[in-house]
Amino acid sequence: MSVAILGIESSCDDTSAAVIVDGILRSNVIASQKVHEAYGGVVPELASRAHQQNIVPVVSEALRQAGIEKDQLSAIAYTRGPGLLGSLLVGTSFAKGMSIGLDIPLIDVNHLHAHVLSHFIKTDINDKSPEFPFICLLISGGNSQIILVKSMSEMEILGKTIDDAAGEAFDKCAKVIGLPYPGGPHVDRHAAEGNPKAFQFSKPHIPGLDYSFSGLKTSFLYTVRDNLKQNPAFIEENISDLCASLQYTIIDILLNKLKKAIKQTGVKDVAIGGGVSANSGVRNAVEELCRDLKVRPWIPPRAFTTDNAAMVAIAGYHKYLNKDFSDLGLPPFARVSI
Ligand code: KG4
């Protein structure tokens, strides 16, 4: 009998549902919430309300595209955390309700595990995936971590940010120069036209494999503020160079520690994941680093870098094979490492 898993993701500002049948992705529907753009960041209460509106149509559409009826599902996998509590509650309650209604198992998924396991999403039976143990550089709006992935369920954090995440550095600096939220993709676009050496921003000196991005953010802010005093048109005249230099510095910080981690662990496979792994500069730089170090790079398709339910469904599929089911009493959680 086929194993059909419905995955539900609602941890931040994307409502998503996906169906995986016997390990192959059949659908992945995402409703992004535009309502936050006007505020320059995600407003938690508005996110929860939008999830409430989106969840029924998104789940129905995922089932329709997969060609699956509700009663053919084997289990419901959902993001339990970390994320915004109100948003998580919508997906959690919906998943629990569906699991009770259909009398099928419920599977809780850690959002960060799901980002890592996005490398195991298959759209075709012949798709390849990394071999254990491998390193995953997980870079998103809320996290920047170097993770040693030992198996589908065993993951060790080797390094993490002590302040801002890489995505926050992109978004907060983008806001300073008037780019819309989330700023990462806009910086990426402008950076393609600019000179990465035009401006120099400060880099952290943090021991071990941990990251810090708050100093870079401050130095970016001061550069823009000081130059604006001399030239009110400074931002318009230099937007590409500012973005290219910012992106170059973030990548340099990220890759410096990634390189150390690869050398320390001796792994042969290196993956990236999370929203910031959609960045063109990051993708090229990781490929180049892996070529130099003679390890295999795993660069996910852009659709699986930002929040999506396909990664929740694949994490749920592997838990299902191990009969690792959840209790209906499990509450969502806002914060946790991995
Ligand atoms: O994983 P994700 O969807 O969810 C959160 O953890 O929030 O990541 C969102 C982050 C945002 O900070 C966004 O600016 C960043 O990913 N991002 C990018 C790019 N696309 C998305 N950052 C740089 N370049 C991009 N192309």
Side-chain angles (χ1 to χ4, degrees), residues 86 118 132 140 155 180 216 219 245 270 282 312:
S118 64
F132 300 114
S140 69
M155 302 188 194
L216 162 64
S219 118
S245 304
V270 174
V282 170
V312 177

Side-chain angles (χ1 to χ4, degrees), residues 176-177 198-202 215-231 234-235 238 241-242 245:
V176 169
I177 51 175
F199 297 97
Q200 293 206 328
F201 304 119
S202 67
L216 162 64
K217 186 183 67 188
T218 311
S219 118
F220 185 87
L221 178 69
Y222 284 177
T223 301
V224 173
R225 198 193 57 181
D226 293 347
N227 278 286
L228 271 178
K229 281 186 199 149
Q230 319 292 329
N231 172 13
F234 171 72
I235 295 176
N238 295 279
D241 286 350
L242 280 167
S245 304

Side-chain angles (χ1 to χ4, degrees), residues 193-261:
E193 318 273 304
N195 171 9
K197 303 278 174 64
F199 297 97
Q200 293 206 328
F201 304 119
S202 67
K203 289 181 196 165
H205 299 281
I206 308 285
L209 296 174
D210 283 342
Y211 287 119
S212 164
F213 289 99
S214 64
L216 162 64
K217 186 183 67 188
T218 311
S219 118
F220 185 87
L221 178 69
Y222 284 177
T223 301
V224 173
R225 198 193 57 181
D226 293 347
N227 278 286
L228 271 178
K229 281 186 199 149
Q230 319 292 329
N231 172 13
F234 171 72
I235 295 176
E236 295 92 282
E237 287 172 8
N238 295 279
I239 191 137
S240 303
D241 286 350
L242 280 167
C243 290
S245 304
L246 172 67
Q247 184 164 302
Y248 175 82
T249 314
I250 294 177
I251 293 173
D252 196 44
I253 297 171
L254 287 171
L255 265 68
N256 183 320
K257 296 292 171 87
L258 178 63
K259 185 174 178 178
K260 265 194 194 172

Side-chain angles (χ1 to χ4, degrees), residues 9-10 13-17 29-33 47 50-51 54-55 58:
E9 158 65 33
S10 73
D13 59 343
D14 293 304
T15 320
S16 180
V29 176
I30 304 174
S32 298
Q33 304 177 356
H51 283 305
N54 293 343
I55 197 144
V58 164

Side-chain angles (χ1 to χ4, degrees), residues 79-97:
T79 303
R80 182 182 170 205
L84 300 171
L85 205 55
S87 294
L88 290 165
L89 265 169
V90 177
T92 302
S93 314
F94 191 89
K96 286 180 181 178

Side-chain angles (χ1 to χ4, degrees), residues 144-161:
S144 296
Q145 299 178 335
I146 298 179
I147 303 167
L148 180 61
V149 188
K150 300 172 185 170
S151 71
M152 290 284 179
S153 56
E154 272 177 292
M155 302 188 194
E156 184 190 340
I157 297 178
L158 303 179
K160 60 180 185 316
T161 180

Side-chain angles (χ1 to χ4, degrees), residues 115 140-142 167 170-171 182 184-185 188 274-276 278-279 305-307:
H115 268 302
S140 69
F170 270 108
D171 296 343
D188 195 353
V276 178
N279 183 272
T305 57
T306 45
D307 290 348

